[in-house]
Each structure stands twice: as structure tokens, then as C-alpha cells.
Amino acid sequence: MEKQLLKLTVNGQEYELYVTPKTLLVEVIRDHIGLTGTKRGCETVSCGVCTVMIDGMAVKSCSILAVQAEGRHVTTVEGLEKNGKLAPIQKAFLDHGSYQCGFCTAGMLMSCEAFLDENPTATEEEIREGIEGNICRCTGYNSIVRAVEAVVKGDYREEEI
Amino acid sequence: MSQYSVINTRVHNVDGIAKVTGRATYTFDVKLPGMLFGKILRSPHPHAKILNIDYSKALELPGVIGVVTGKDTLGVKQGIWRRYQDLCDEQILPVDKVRYIGEPVAAVAALTEEIAEQALDLIDVQYGLLPAVYDPMDAIKKEAPEIHQGFERNINVTRHIEWGDVEEAFGEAEYIREDWFKCGGQAHMCMETRAAVSSYTPDGKLTVYHSTQAPYYMQGLLAGVLGLKEGNIRVISHYVGGGFGGKFELDGAIFCSAVLSMKLFRPVKIVFTREEDFIATKRRTPMFYYVRTGVKKDGTFCAREAKVFTNGGAYTGMGATALYLTGFFHSFPYRWKGYRYDGYRVYTNTLPSTSMRGFGAPQAMFCSEQQIEWIAADLGLDSIEIRRKNAHYPGYEVPGQATIASCGINQCFDTIKDWTKKKGKLPENRAIGFSAAGFMSGGIFNWFDTPYSFSSAVITINYDGTVELYVGAQDIGQGSNTTLAIICAETLGVKVEDIKVHSGDTEHCPADLGAWGSRQTLMAGNAVKMAAEDAKKQLLEVAYAQSGFNIVYDLDIKNRWVHAIARPERGYDYAELVKKAIRGKDGQRIVGRGYYTPHRKGMISPAYSYMVQAVEVDIDKETGKIKLVDSLTAHDCGQPINRLGLIGQLEGAFSMAAGYGYLEYMPYEDGKLMNPNLVDYKVIRATEMPDVPVAEIDTYEPEGPYGAKEAGEGLTNPTAAAIGNAIFHALCVQMKECPIRPEMIVNALKEKEEKERK
């Protein structure tokens, strides 16, 4: 399959790459660009550990072809922190112990971040629905919900970047 | 105010920043120069002779570097029960026959994963099909096909536990009840699938990155199957994406990558797909349980006997331990005058079964705790009080098995009773189910036959007072590194941020049996405490020498402050003391060493946690669909060490245990798993998870560091039974199989209606 030119922006950095048309976005992020914070956990778009944001929207990066991200702005977990300063949702995860093995954490953070942008006053039920596409085998989700609630409540407002 | 300055405070996990910023690198992320990618060809047959493997065409494919089969191995039959040759029965690349669908038969290394995958199609394997058997109750029949040579009726291992005069105790019973149960398997379903990167170099040394719960076990087991010295193998496992009991045996990823790397002298990486993780690792042991229980009319427990047949699948794995523990915990947490357990682990041509969080106890509790609920109902007794009347208490001796030191189960009953009372009357089709349970704090068994102590720790203190803590304990997400850092900081008198924990590397960390059987808080915790005390003693000797105090005064360090306990305001900075102590030792760093091996602690474990759980369940009578509404767990884990970690462990265990109770179903047809993907294999998602608060019951365990014992694994035990009991109270139907599926509830209701009509 012939490779084609792909231009996209990841975490504010522009990239030009040659990829085959069937390359997945997650492969470009992890294998071509080398940002390994984003993980893979299934082949059926079920687990959500590969979730990134594309132009602000949460997308499972195993579910789309890299070429579909042409010209788009992709944000991965590595793009949440700015100059060593953590984003509110990252701080909330730390304070509430919202991760254990950490393998789902990147995808979970991106789902939460996109969801909070969209719905900054979410209720507990809405938060649960917002992360329904992400499996966490360790925490049982409740600590993650508490972290998002803390951000909604404004516990990290003064720290927003 | 707490006597502790670090223990049971809210601290961030020591690896938190790495995990929330994407910096934590797992085996899945490892990339080495010149690395190849491996793929495994798997058997499509449940039972077959391997007649011939021709991989010449695969080698011709551009980009393929090498292929290995069983003939490239030493053919060692391995297993984790190294003391017992009989139970070492698995060649991970079998030489002459396959015993389950998905078993590896060959492995390819290529420049890319894609090429390796294509090459699998070019390998021609000739099989001689053999008759297969999938169900343990069929496999024990005389005419069943033989799966392993020399195991009569395919019985892999048996376990017998007995105390008291069982017949006499049954004779005293005024009511006897017997039931058959069927407990399903469960996939560990770690978010990081099995993964390994092996690199063998011409100096005869092998380095392996592996997603594992026990690096030292991997080192020992690899040495055995590869014919290398343990010391020439380095296993690295810095971050592990979950384990849950499924990652402390050799798996196809580590073994095949190592064999390929030794043949090719290149690093080889193998990562399982989710489907491979489902069909070709191991699973929670499915069990058939027969339980007969005799009680007096006032609810006094007299005798119990249980017969258990487990579906062992094709190989032993950790199944022999699960077979013993299910028998022991089936008696838990109650006193029986007579108790008899006979367990039979049966080989079948299915995926091998093994340990999984709870280690046989969730199955045991599913049967025991439901039957006790039914007995209480049969006799018109209060189901909490019947449990309380027969429960363990501090100082109780389980005959020949265990001595219970700390036990807070009585207070657990009070807490749950109050909570339930406050709930008042519930809507229709909704009820609360109870379940009691307990669990071990690390196993005493040494079937691995290691000469090393069970846990060890080494501490070195730097000139500036920062501390390097080396442990062989493995953090798999349960937070052991944080727990051990807390114990180290508390003991030494410094802050958690002063401690750097080094783990997951056999080259630099002392040997430890690893993360399984809830052993790390108690066993590794004791080792760390001892090492920190050793280092602290060396510091305080210097402090005494220069203090000029009367020797009756005690000196201490707390929050980095060196002081006489009687005059805490007068003191000085701990880092100053470290500098002096190092100078006093002619410049040597302060080194503290600690270890722990249990002695004279019975057959099972040095200490036991206790818990009582209540789960409120709502059932849709039309569809049989279950909704978990609310819950409370009263929990005795001794002194909590890591508060945030404890809450996380409880909530996580609940989600996995509830999944076992009503969602996570593994249906097989002719030896083939029918749902090996995350669309069809359901796990609890955020919307299905109820509130699961924990009420900590205060006890002190003398054998544990600062009074701590197990927390997190035992909490997998009560939930399936509690859900079953809630269904019983809501609908008056008995669920004798788990996971409890909607059609079971609908059918049970239909049956009940038909009976009532008659």
C-alpha cells in the first residue's frame, strides 16, 4: 500500500509523516511520533485506554485512521500538563487516588478532560455516562468520579492554566 | 490524635506523577535497539498430537528473522510448584501434543508485528486429532480421554482438610441441608495484556522486561526452562498494567520471546492481543461445589462437609493452591466442630485455570454464604445473628490450620446491622443481601522452594537524608510501593517524599516472592520496617553518643526531627544527624537490612482480615436484569497504612467481585471460548458501579507492621454471595450458579410460579 503524506498537530507540535492509508491514529501517536502515554488495550474499540482529544473531542484513537486526522489538532495525555504544571484533572486524580495500575489512566484523563470542557457543571450521573466508554479494571471508577466532581465543584479553579 | 505522623494519612502514590502524566513506561512501551516483534501460532484444536511443523515457507517471507517450535526448547515441563515434579506439567511450546485451543505451537520473530502475523499463516502444522473432554465431571469418568499420562481419571491433584469428628458432629445436628453449586471462571482482564521483551546477548546473559507480579519467580522459572543460571537472568518490571493473580507464572509472551531471543541474539517483543489474553493465558478456577451443613435449631453450626471438583483446564498453574485455599476458606469465618473438605482438581481440554484475586475464596463464599442464608431462612433465624453466633473471635484456633490473633468481625456485624436498619423498608423487587468473609495476609507455603526469605528490603540513606528503599515486592497498581514508603518513612521518622522506592528489577532489588496472596503489606512491610529500624538504630547510636543525655532518656526521630522523647521541642534536623553518622563510619553510607519469613504461624497465613458486606440489589422481574443500588462493607484490616490506597482497593475489589457475581461469564463450546473480546465479555463500567463506602473496624494485628494486615484481595470474596442473597430476599429464588445471569433469574421465577400454581 502506498504511503501518503499526513500533516497533523499533536500537543501543539506540527508533524509531517508518511503513513499507509490503513495506519491507525494510535499507531501514529505511539509508534511514529513516540508518545507512549496513550495505550492500547483491545481490538474492538471497547476499552478506551487509547482515548485522545481531536479538536477538543474525545476519540478512541484505535477507531480512526491516521489520515482522518489530517490537519486536525490532537491532544494526548502528554499535552495536558503545561511547563511542568499539571492540569486540574491530573491534580484531582492525584488527590483522589483515581488510578492504580495506571494503564487506563491516560485514556480516562482525556475522556474526563473532553467531557469537562463540554459539560463543566456535570452531575455524578452525567460523569458516569461520560466515562462509560473507558474500562478501568482497578479502581471501580468511584474515585475517578470523585476527582471529576472536585474539578466541577471548583476545587482546582485557582490552579487552572 | 494519631500516634503516627505518616501512617493512615492521605498521601499521593509515589508513582502518581508518572502515571497521571503518561511518563510511566510499561513493558508494552519498551523499545530496544534492533528489536524484533514476535507472534505466536496457536493450536486450533483442543487435543491433538503435533505430528510435524514445517515453517520453511514462513522463513522465506521477507522480514521474517526466525521461527521457534518446541524442538528449540529444552522441553522442560515447568510449573510454579517446583517442589512437586508431578505438578510441573506445562511445556509452553509443547513438543508432542497440544491440550487446549490457543496453546502455542510456534513463534515467529520479524521486523514488524504485521510481518510476523503474516508469517503465522505460512506455517504448516500437521496434527493428529485426539478425543477431547471439557467438563471435569466428564473428565473423571473411566472412559474419558487421557490428557496427561499417568493421571488416573484425569485427576491432577487432590486436597483434603479435616478436623474434629465429622460424623459425630453431624449426629448432633438437628437440621441438615445439602446443595450443589456451580461457580464460573473469570478472566483477569488486566488492562495491559501479557507482554514481554527479551534480550539475550553473546555473554550468555538474558534481560527480560515483563508485565509481572513476581519478577523473582520469573527469574527462577526462566532459569529452569532455559538452562541458565538465575543470576544471569535479569527481570525488569517497573510498571505493570494490572495482575489480579494472572501474572505470576511463566506465560507465552515471556517464554516465546526468550526462546526467540536466545536463538537470534536480538531483542524480541511479544504483546498479546486482547483475544490472546482471553484464550491463551489462564483464568479463575471454575468449581463444582457440593456442600452439606448440619446445624442445631438455635443456629449453632455443628458440621460441614464439602466436595469440590474444579475445572483445572490443561495444566496445573497455581490451581493446586486455589484447590487448597477454597477448601480452607469454605470454613471461614466460622467455627465448626467437625469439618471435612475433599477437593479434586481435574484436567480438561480447556484453558488452564489458576489463581485470581481471592484465590478460590470467592467461589467458596458464593456457596457457603448463600447456604447459610438459606439455613437461617429455613429455621426462621436472623441471618446476621446466626453468623455472629458461629463466627471466629480473637484467639480462636482453626484446628490444625490457623490461630486467629486479631479479629474484628463482631463489630463488623454491628455496623452492617445498623446500616440495614436505617435503610428501612425497600421498594418491591429490591433487597439487601449480606455476606461475611475473611482472607489471608500472605501465604506460608513455599512450594516454589526458594532458599531466600519470603520478603526482604534494603535501605541506604544518602548524605542529604534522602532514602533509597530497595524491595523485591512488586507494585502492580495495588500501591505497594506507596505502602512500603509510608512504613519506611514512619519507622525512620522522615516524610514520604524523602523515600525513593526501587522495585521491579531483580538485578538491584532483593528477592521477594512478589505480589500475590495479599502478602506484601504484612510480609514486605515487616521487612521494610526491620530495615528502617536497622538504619535508624545506627543513626540514633550517634545521636546518643553526642547528646550527653542520661541513658534513661529515649531519643527518637519524627518528621525529620531528632529529639529526646521527653523534650520534643529541643532537637535538631535529621539530615544533620545523617551527616554525622556517615562521618562517624569513615564515610560509609548508612545501610539497613530487613527480611521476613513466617514461622510457627499454622498452615496458611500469619494473619487474617475479616469483613461483612451488605449489597442492595434491584431486580427487573421481566428481564432478570440486576442493578446494584448501594452497599456497605465493614472491614477489619488491622491498622490501615495507606488510606487512599485502601479505599481504592475496596472499590476496585468490589467492581471485580460484582462482575464475578453477575456479569463476567465465560461460555465454552467444544473447548472454545465464545466471547474472547470486550464487546461480549462484560465487565462493570462506571454507570453500573454503586457507591461502595467502607467502615473500617479498628483492630491491631500483632504479626503485622504497625498492626496491619491484608486489604484488597479479601474484598473480592463476599460480593457474589451478597448479590445472590439479595436476590433470594427480593424474589425468594436461590441462585446456585455464578455469574448470576438474567435468564437464570427469569427461569427461576417461572419455575417458582409453576410450583406455586400446582
Side-chain angles (χ1 to χ4, degrees):
Chain A
M1 236 177 294
E2 205 170 316
K3 288 190 174 175
Q4 62 187 78
L5 181 66
L6 167 69
K7 287 188 192 180
L8 80 173
T9 306
V10 180
N11 302 333
Q13 177 78 48
E14 285 176 30
Y15 290 90
E16 281 189 18
L17 309 151
Y18 280 90
V19 299
T20 59
K22 65 171 197 170
T23 305
L24 300 173
L25 179 60
V26 65
E27 292 169 330
V28 161
I29 291 168
R30 285 183 53 86
D31 307 332
H32 297 228
I33 297 176
L35 292 172
T36 55
T38 305
K39 309 297 184 201
R40 297 185 74 172
C42 70
E43 302 88 45
T44 48
V45 197
S46 311
C47 75
V49 304
C50 65
T51 307
V52 299
M53 292 200 300
I54 301 180
D55 295 334
M57 212 170 80
V59 173
K60 290 176 182 173
S61 62
C62 75
S63 73
I64 71 162
L65 299 171
V67 293
Q68 290 175 285
E70 171 72 33
R72 304 294 194 106
H73 286 259
V74 177
T75 310
T76 68
V77 67
E78 290 91 344
L80 281 178
E81 102 194 50
K82 299 279 183 291
N83 298 320
K85 203 169 168 232
L86 302 192
I89 189 66
Q90 290 173 303
K91 292 200 162 194
F93 266 49
L94 280 178
D95 286 345
H96 293 270
S98 313
Y99 56 89
Q100 285 177 32
C101 83
F103 203 79
C104 78
T105 307
M108 196 63 90
L109 282 165
M110 300 320 287
S111 280
C112 292
E113 180 74 1
F115 171 73
L116 279 166
D117 286 348
E118 207 176 288
N119 188 354
T121 58
T123 62
E124 185 194 329
E125 206 181 319
E126 288 169 337
I127 295 167
R128 288 187 184 274
E129 278 163 19
I131 58 170
E132 200 183 10
N134 295 68
I135 295 176
C136 171
R137 190 61 159 163
C138 297
T139 65
Y141 309 99
N142 292 357
S143 55
I144 296 167
V145 175
R146 288 195 289 274
V148 180
E149 280 178 322
V151 176
V152 168
K153 227 173 75 195
D155 286 4
Y156 300 89
R157 196 162 293 147
E158 72 283 3
E159 297 170 24
E160 272 177 40
I161 310 165
Chain B
M1 215 189 88
S2 165
Q3 57 181 315
Y4 301 123
S5 42
V6 194
I7 281 176
N8 204 21
T9 58
R10 276 177 87 99
V11 300
H12 290 168
N13 269 10
V14 294
D15 53 11
I17 294 285
K19 284 178 176 172
V20 303
T21 62
R23 283 179 173 82
T25 48
Y26 299 73
T27 302
F28 181 65
D29 303 317
V30 169
K31 205 172 182 179
L32 298 179
M35 187 173 84
L36 304 173
F37 295 86
K39 276 277 167 197
I40 297 172
L41 181 69
R42 301 183 176 283
S43 166
H45 305 297
H47 199 192
K49 280 196 170 143
I50 301 171
L51 302 177
N52 188 45
I53 303 177
D54 177 3
Y55 54 79
S56 52
K57 278 196 188 130
L59 283 176
E60 284 167 18
L61 184 72
V64 171
I65 310 298
V67 179
V68 293
T69 69
K71 287 186 178 160
D72 296 282
T73 69
L74 299 177
V76 175
K77 287 186 175 178
Q78 63 85 32
I80 204 157
W81 277 55
R82 295 197 302 193
R83 266 182 92 91
Y84 304 89
Q85 248 334 292
D86 261 14
L87 300 179
C88 295
D89 55 6
E90 185 176 10
Q91 295 167 330
I92 292 179
L93 277 171
V95 177
D96 49 18
K97 80 169 184 173
V98 290
R99 296 178 174 86
Y100 69 95
I101 292 174
E103 183 159 10
V105 287
V108 179
L111 294 179
T112 67
E113 218 171 352
E114 210 178 354
I115 297 170
E117 181 117 32
Q118 285 167 14
L120 296 184
D121 290 339
L122 302 174
I123 299 174
D124 183 24
V125 186
Q126 282 182 297
Y127 293 101
L129 300 191
L130 296 166
V133 61
Y134 313 112
D135 189 291
M137 305 316 261
D138 294 331
I140 51 169
K141 288 180 185 158
K142 243 190 183 147
E143 65 275 16
E146 182 183 63
I147 297 171
H148 288 268
Q149 216 177 5
F151 288 83
E152 207 182 324
R153 291 184 181 239
N154 290 313
I155 292 172
N156 158 228
V157 53
T158 61
R159 281 286 173 269
H160 177 79
I161 303 172
E162 183 167 343
W163 64 76
D165 186 328
V166 180
E167 299 318 321
E168 190 187 290
F170 267 113
E172 289 171 16
E174 293 159 341
Y175 178 74
I176 293 175
R177 187 182 166 108
E178 49 186 347
D179 294 285
W180 270 97
F181 295 88
K182 188 178 167 188
C183 305
Q186 185 179 20
H188 303 91
M189 224 296 283
C190 311
M191 295 315 294
E192 182 186 30
T193 57
R194 272 53 165 197
V197 182
S198 296
S199 179
Y200 185 70
T201 44
D203 53 5
K205 303 227 161 82
L206 175 69
T207 302
V208 182
Y209 294 80
H210 188 225
S211 183
T212 185
Q213 296 174 230
Y216 167 64
Y217 276 178
M218 294 308 119
Q219 189 187 26
L221 291 171
L222 278 179
V225 290
L226 300 174
L228 298 175
K229 276 189 177 173
E230 249 181 52
N232 285 337
I233 297 171
R234 178 183 183 187
V235 179
I236 302 171
S237 190
H238 288 146
Y239 291 96
V240 178
F244 313 116
K247 289 184 181 169
F248 65 108
E249 298 164 49
L250 284 188
D251 56 43
I254 190 172
F255 181 73
C256 294
S257 68
V259 174
L260 280 165
S261 185
M262 285 180 75
K263 188 170 181 179
L264 304 173
F265 292 91
R266 301 263 300 262
V268 179
K269 179 174 188 172
I270 295 182
V271 176
F272 279 16
T273 62
R274 180 57 63 193
E275 184 179 355
E276 286 178 295
D277 222 53
F278 271 112
I279 67 161
T281 55
K282 289 190 172 77
R283 57 178 163 151
R284 187 188 291 287
T285 307
M287 296 184 183
F288 289 87
Y289 245 96
Y290 164 78
V291 194
R292 180 165 167 255
T293 301
V295 306
K296 291 196 172 161
K297 280 197 173 138
D298 67 355
T300 306
F301 291 176
C302 301
R304 166 173 277 180
E305 68 167 335
K307 274 199 172 49
V308 174
F309 298 86
T310 78
N311 189 342
Y315 299 102
T316 303
M318 282 305 304
T321 313
L323 188 72
Y324 191 87
L325 291 177
T326 198
F328 175 67
F329 285 109
H330 191 58
S331 75
F332 240 65
Y334 304 111
R335 293 171 280 117
W336 303 94
K337 199 171 170 196
Y339 182 80
R340 183 192 297 137
Y341 162 81
D342 282 289
Y344 304 86
R345 188 174 191 278
V346 186
Y347 283 129
T348 64
N349 293 112
T350 62
L351 179 69
S353 61
T354 191
S355 49
M356 183 172 168
R357 197 175 191 174
F359 224 148
Q363 298 95 316
M365 302 331 281
F366 178 74
C367 310
S368 171
E369 284 296 304
Q370 285 199 104
Q371 198 193 47
I372 286 169
E373 195 74 20
W374 304 336
I375 289 172
D378 293 346
L379 297 177
L381 299 170
D382 181 290
S383 73
I384 291 258
E385 293 310 320
I386 193 176
R387 287 180 167 91
R388 189 202 300 272
K389 193 183 179 88
N390 296 288
H392 287 180
Y393 50 76
Y396 174 68
E397 195 189 324
V398 185
Q401 301 286 321
T403 301
I404 308 301
S406 62
C407 171
I409 195 161
N410 200 29
Q411 298 95 298
C412 292
F413 287 126
D414 292 337
T415 306
I416 291 297
K417 204 164 185 174
D418 286 350
W419 182 81
T420 311
K421 215 178 257 169
K422 277 189 201 130
K423 280 263 163 186
K425 195 170 155 39
L426 299 174
E428 208 186 332
N429 302 329
R430 188 184 284 195
I432 292 171
F434 305 121
S435 177
F439 203 58
M440 60 183 182
S441 308
I444 283 172
F445 351 104
N446 187 15
W447 25 253
F448 193 69
D449 210 12
T450 174
Y452 293 120
S453 50
F454 279 28
S455 280
S456 357
V458 177
I459 284 169
T460 63
I461 305 180
N462 301 316
Y463 189 62
D464 58 7
T466 53
V467 178
E468 315 287 339
L469 168 60
Y470 295 88
V471 289
Q474 183 63 36
D475 198 316
I476 53 173
Q478 85 286 41
S480 60
N481 281 355
T482 306
T483 296
L484 297 175
I486 289 171
I487 290 171
C488 184
E490 183 72 48
T491 309
L492 211 48
V494 298
K495 293 181 186 297
V496 170
E497 55 264 37
D498 295 325
I499 316 286
K500 273 186 281 168
V501 185
H502 304 267
S503 66
D505 188 341
T506 55
E507 199 124 300
H508 302 295
C509 303
D512 183 294
L513 304 190
W516 59 270
S518 296
R519 49 184 306 286
Q520 296 201 153
T521 297
L522 189 141
M523 295 194 181
N526 274 331
V528 168
K529 185 164 181 271
M530 183 177 174
E533 281 165 351
D534 181 14
K536 190 178 192 176
K537 184 166 175 282
Q538 297 171 46
L539 294 177
L540 288 179
E541 277 169 5
V542 176
Y544 271 115
Q546 61 140 36
S547 70
F549 283 138
N550 186 315
I551 55 162
V552 300
Y553 285 97
D554 283 323
L555 292 186
D556 198 8
I557 310 168
K558 234 174 177 20
N559 287 319
R560 300 184 187 141
W561 187 247
V562 186
H563 59 278
I565 291 172
R567 290 181 185 169
E569 72 286 352
R570 280 173 56 187
Y572 58 99
D573 185 30
Y574 141 87
E576 284 308 308
L577 175 59
V578 172
K579 287 189 185 98
K580 284 177 189 157
I582 290 175
R583 259 186 245 126
K585 282 178 174 283
D586 199 19
Q588 292 182 81
R589 246 196 269 209
I590 308 295
V591 178
R593 304 200 307 169
Y595 69 95
Y596 178 82
T597 300
H599 291 289
R600 284 171 294 161
K601 291 287 162 195
M603 298 286 289
I604 315 285
S605 175
Y608 299 87
S609 66
Y610 287 90
M611 64 214 74
V612 181
Q613 189 167 73
V615 182
E616 184 181 347
V617 180
D618 189 280
I619 308 116
D620 183 327
K621 274 172 95 169
E622 297 299 313
T623 60
K625 215 175 161 218
I626 290 169
K627 186 175 165 51
L628 307 181
V629 181
D630 200 0
S631 75
L632 180 70
T633 308
H635 185 236
D636 156 28
C637 67
Q639 167 67 50
I641 302 288
N642 175 3
R643 190 187 291 178
L644 261 183
L646 176 62
I647 295 167
Q649 280 295 300
L650 175 100
E651 292 177 335
F654 186 97
S655 75
M656 192 168 265
Y660 185 57
Y662 81 103
L663 275 183
E664 298 187 33
Y665 183 42
M666 296 181 87
Y668 277 81
E669 270 178 34
D670 297 333
K672 194 176 163 77
L673 180 65
M674 299 315 288
N675 58 347
N677 61 71
L678 287 173
V679 177
D680 302 309
Y681 184 90
K682 304 287 184 199
V683 297
I684 297 255
R685 291 189 181 252
T687 45
E688 289 147 339
M689 186 70 186
D691 204 15
V692 291
V694 57
E696 273 308 326
I697 303 299
D698 207 11
T699 66
Y700 182 90
E701 170 54 48
E703 185 69 8
Y706 296 100
K709 50 188 179 179
E710 183 275 334
E713 183 171 7
L715 288 160
T716 327
N717 300 345
T719 313
I723 293 171
N725 285 338
I727 295 169
F728 173 64
H729 286 298
L731 308 176
C732 289
V733 291
Q734 296 175 350
M735 295 292 117
K736 297 191 179 182
E737 185 181 338
C738 76
I740 300 165
R741 303 181 296 285
E743 64 270 22
M744 287 165 54
I745 294 175
V746 172
N747 290 341
L749 282 172
K750 251 188 233 160
E751 242 172 68
K752 192 181 130 213
E753 271 169 34
E754 270 165 32
K755 242 187 222 166
E756 281 166 359
R757 226 178 290 141
K758 281 175 196 167

